[in-house]
Amino acid sequence: NTNLSNEFTYDETISALYFSYGWQINKQWSAKAGLRWENTYAKGTWKTSGKVTTQSYNDFFPTLFLGYTPHEKHNFSLSYTRRIQRPNYWNLNPFRQYMGAYAYIEGNPQVRPSYSDNLRLSYVAFKVLNIGTSFSYNKGIIVQIPQYDPATGQTGYIQGNFGTYYYLGAWVSASGLPLTKWWQLTLNLWGAYTVNDDNVTTTTRSWQVETYLNSTFLLSKTWSAELEGWVQTPATWGYYSMKTRGELSAGVKKTFCDNKGNVSLYIDDIFNTSRSNGTMSRNGTVSHTNSRWDSRAIRVSFSWRFGNTNSPAKQRKVGQQEEAKRMGGGN
C-alpha cells in the first residue's frame, strides 16, 4: 500500500533581486524605500506513489519607512511592508497520519505561500515605552481544512490555504521599567479585532487580547527573583477557534565572579495551564480538540562567560532561522 510510506522529497529554488535606498531628510526626519523581487520554483516527489507536483511563481515585496525624531528620547515611525510566509515542510508531505479510527492529518504539496500587507505606526519614549497600532491583511493563510467523508465516517484535516484574514490591533509595552531600585517590570499588552473569511461559507469576527508580564526583584547585588506569565483570550484562525490559555512561571538566580557566572532555578508553568483547547468547524463538520503536553518542569542551569564580555554579539542569520522554523515539526 503506497499510502503507508512517507518517502517524499522536496526541492525548492529561490532567486531574488532587491534594492533599497535610505536618506536623512533633516535632523528630525528620515526615510527608506526598498523593493525585492523573488522567483520560486518548487518540486515535490512522493517516490512510493510516483506522484510529482511543481510550483513556480514570481513575487514583488515593497518596503516603505518614515521616521520622525523630535527629541533624542522620542521617536515616531510609520512603515509598510509586504511579506511572504512559505509553508513548513511538514505541511507539504502528503503522507497520511492517523490520530484515531476516524480522524487523520494529511499534508498537501499544492499548498501555496501566504502573503500579508502590513501597516504599522509606533511611538517609542525613553527607549523603554512603546505604543503603537497596526493593520495586517493576509491572503491564503495556511490552515488545516476539515473534510468529512460520509462513506467511511472519517474526517481528514488537510493542509490548505484559507481565503483572507485581517486584523486591526494596538499595543503598549514597557521593557525593563524600573518601578523602584529593587523592582523592574516588563509588560506587553496587545489587543485586536480580527476577521476570518474563507470567501465561500465561513466568516468569523472576534476581539482578542494577549498580555505578557515579567517582574524581576533585585534581592541583593547577586541575588534576584523572577515572576513571569502570559494570558491569551479566545482567538480565531481560519476554521479554528481557540479558548483562553496562559501560564505562570517563577525562578531565582545567583550571580558571582563579577557577573561572569550564574546559577538559576526555575519552575515553568506552575499551575500546568499551558494547553490548547478549541473547536474546528466547517460545512457542518465540528470537532473539538484538547491538547496537553508536559510543560510544567523544574530547570536548573549554570552558565559562565569566557573571554571579552564586552564584545558585540554575533549577527543573527535571519535566513537560517527562517529555514529552521520551516523544518519544525507539526501537530
Side-chain angles (χ1 to χ4, degrees), residues 240-245 275-279 289-292:
Y240 190 73
S241 299
M242 186 163 50
K243 296 182 180 180
T244 299
R245 51 190 297 226
R275 63 192 68 177
S276 179
N277 299 325
T279 302
T289 61
N290 186 348
S291 300
R292 301 184 63 175

Side-chain angles (χ1 to χ4, degrees), residues 8-27:
F8 178 75
T9 62
Y10 182 76
D11 297 306
E12 185 179 73
T13 302
I14 302 173
S15 304
L17 292 173
Y18 65 92
F19 80 90
S20 63
Y21 180 73
W23 63 99
Q24 189 71 36
I25 301 174
N26 53 42
K27 291 183 179 180

Side-chain angles (χ1 to χ4, degrees), residues 78-232:
L78 175 66
S79 65
Y80 163 77
T81 58
R82 177 172 171 79
R83 296 175 179 171
I84 184 174
Q85 181 181 353
R86 293 183 172 85
N88 291 335
Y89 296 121
W90 64 268
N91 292 139
L92 301 164
N93 192 333
F95 182 69
R96 182 173 296 183
Q97 303 178 55
Y98 280 89
M99 300 182 295
Y102 297 100
Y104 61 88
I105 299 174
E106 188 175 301
N108 179 8
Q110 298 286 3
V111 172
R112 303 280 293 185
S114 65
Y115 299 88
S116 65
D117 293 275
N118 310 278
L119 188 64
R120 177 186 177 105
L121 174 64
S122 66
Y123 163 65
V124 179
F126 304 100
K127 299 181 180 180
V128 174
L129 180 65
N130 188 316
I131 302 173
T133 182
S134 63
F135 173 79
S136 179
Y137 174 82
N138 301 263
K139 184 177 181 180
I141 62 174
I142 301 169
V143 300
Q144 289 182 342
I145 301 177
Q147 298 181 5
Y148 176 70
D149 184 354
T152 62
Q154 293 182 338
T155 300
Y157 298 91
I158 317 300
Q159 298 294 333
N161 296 100
F162 187 87
T164 56
Y165 166 84
Y166 63 87
Y167 72 81
L168 177 62
W171 71 88
V172 177
S173 67
S175 178
L177 185 63
L179 299 180
T180 67
K181 292 182 179 180
W182 52 269
W183 185 13
Q184 294 182 354
L185 183 69
T186 293
L187 172 67
N188 297 328
L189 178 63
W190 178 82
Y193 175 73
T194 66
V195 178
N196 289 264
D197 189 352
D198 70 353
N199 300 328
V200 181
T201 61
T202 301
T203 302
T204 59
R205 298 175 174 85
S206 66
W207 290 91
Q208 63 186 81
V209 176
E210 187 172 338
T211 182
Y212 167 82
L213 175 67
N214 181 288
S215 190
T216 301
F217 305 93
L218 306 177
L219 306 179
S220 69
K221 291 183 178 181
T222 60
W223 281 94
S224 64
E226 186 175 299
L227 187 66
E228 181 181 51
W230 61 269
V231 175
Q232 182 187 73

Side-chain angles (χ1 to χ4, degrees), residues 247-269:
E247 69 175 65
L248 181 68
S249 304
V252 293
K253 182 169 68 172
K254 164 71 175 177
T255 62
F256 48 90
C257 294
D258 295 327
N259 292 326
K260 289 185 177 180
N262 72 75
V263 60
S264 61
L265 170 67
Y266 281 89
I267 303 177
D268 296 325
D269 192 11

